Amino acid sequence: MSRVSEIGKALRPGLITITRGGGSGLIRLAWKLLLLPISITAGVLRLITGSVRLGFWVGAGVLSYLIGLTTFVLQQKSTSSPLVSVSPERSEAFHLPSEIENRPNRESPTAATETISLPRQAKQDQNQVEQEAESARLLEKKALSLGPEPEKWPDVTQVLVRLPNGERKGRRFHCSVTLQSVYDFVDSSGCIEVGSYTLVNFFPRVLYGEDDLSSTLEVLGLCPQASLFVELRT
């Protein structure tokens, strides 16, 4: 009997250890069972999130492909021939308006008028150039007809001419020359059109017109000096 008691005392620490080890194992098992739904839920959420992302990625790729395909088809339609077969007669009728638009307007009245107006304009320009050249030659001739300006002398008069723009032109003339020389002097300056004016003395007012061109300056009283004004003809 005492022997059995001794054996029991010897095994008691082992049973206590086994009991303690079994308790901690049950706690860990219970904790894992408690965390299992949370782990499953987290896994499901991760799976759903991945599926959504994959769906967005696939949708974006499909949309991009459709847009590119649509653009390509539209470009091909704009550059390619029509898909419907057309007979040669209808095709010629379709292309006829564009050919008429692109054809030079040889029969257009407007084009004909423009074609006629171009030589007319060129002729007018040529006439204008010839008139300007003739006017330049006339002014040069008038300037040469004046000869050199004389020195101051008793039979020489000083004539001062005031232009409409306020500019003054002065020159000495022999008293024996005609009024035409004074007109030639004003014309050769190029400041006013030939034949568009009359020389006038204001005090007293005297008009020296075409009837006086052949009279000398001495006869007209323009010696030994004279101050004249250019009066434009109306």
Side-chain angles (χ1 to χ4, degrees), residues 39 151 172 206:
S39 300
E151 298 292 336
R172 291 185 297 273
V206 180

Side-chain angles (χ1 to χ4, degrees), residues 19-87:
T19 303
R20 289 178 180 176
S24 61
L26 292 176
I27 291 173
R28 286 195 298 269
L29 179 61
W31 180 253
K32 289 182 178 180
L33 291 177
L34 181 62
L35 294 177
L36 181 61
I38 298 175
S39 300
I40 294 175
T41 303
V44 171
L45 290 176
R46 285 195 296 269
L47 180 61
I48 293 173
T49 303
S51 300
V52 171
R53 291 180 179 177
L54 179 62
F56 276 118
W57 183 80
V58 173
V62 172
L63 182 60
S64 177
Y65 174 77
L66 291 177
I67 293 175
L69 181 62
T70 304
T71 305
F72 175 77
V73 171
L74 292 176
Q75 292 178 352
Q76 290 296 323
K77 285 185 177 181
S78 62
T79 57
S80 61
S81 58
L83 297 179
V84 180
S85 60
V86 182
S87 62

Side-chain angles (χ1 to χ4, degrees), residues 29-224:
L29 179 61
W31 180 253
K32 289 182 178 180
L33 291 177
L34 181 62
L35 294 177
L36 181 61
I38 298 175
S39 300
I40 294 175
T41 303
V44 171
L45 290 176
R46 285 195 296 269
L47 180 61
I48 293 173
T49 303
S51 300
V52 171
R53 291 180 179 177
L54 179 62
F56 276 118
W57 183 80
V58 173
V62 172
L63 182 60
S64 177
Y65 174 77
L66 291 177
I67 293 175
L69 181 62
T70 304
T71 305
F72 175 77
V73 171
L74 292 176
Q75 292 178 352
Q76 290 296 323
K77 285 185 177 181
S78 62
T79 57
S80 61
S81 58
L83 297 179
V84 180
S85 60
V86 182
S87 62
E89 293 79 6
R90 293 185 178 182
S91 177
E92 183 178 358
F94 289 155
H95 293 291
L96 183 59
S98 61
E99 292 179 358
I100 293 175
E101 291 179 358
N102 297 327
R103 185 182 303 171
N105 297 327
R106 297 188 180 92
E107 300 178 358
S108 174
T110 305
T113 304
E114 293 178 354
T115 305
I116 295 173
S117 63
L118 287 177
R120 183 180 301 172
Q121 182 66 32
K123 187 175 181 180
Q124 291 177 355
D125 295 340
Q126 183 179 359
N127 293 337
Q128 184 178 358
V129 171
E130 292 177 354
Q131 291 176 0
E132 292 177 355
E134 181 65 25
S135 178
R137 286 193 295 268
L138 178 61
L139 296 181
E140 183 179 2
K141 183 179 179 180
K142 287 179 176 291
L144 292 175
S145 67
L146 295 174
E149 185 176 4
E151 298 292 336
K152 292 182 179 181
W153 203 252
D155 62 342
V156 174
T157 181
Q158 178 72 37
V159 178
L160 184 64
V161 181
R162 183 172 181 177
L163 302 176
N165 60 1
E167 184 179 358
R168 295 176 183 270
K169 297 288 184 179
R171 192 183 190 277
R172 291 185 297 273
F173 296 90
H174 287 288
C175 294
S176 58
V177 301
T178 62
L179 183 64
Q180 181 66 56
S181 298
V182 181
Y183 270 94
D184 291 342
F185 166 68
V186 177
D187 293 339
S188 63
S189 66
C191 299
I192 191 169
E193 185 179 354
V194 177
S196 64
Y197 63 95
T198 302
L199 294 177
V200 180
N201 185 9
F202 280 167
F203 303 104
R205 180 175 173 80
V206 180
L207 275 69
Y208 301 101
E210 296 179 356
D211 296 338
D212 302 316
L213 293 178
S214 59
S215 301
T216 64
L217 301 182
E218 186 176 5
V219 171
L220 295 175
L222 300 177
C223 293

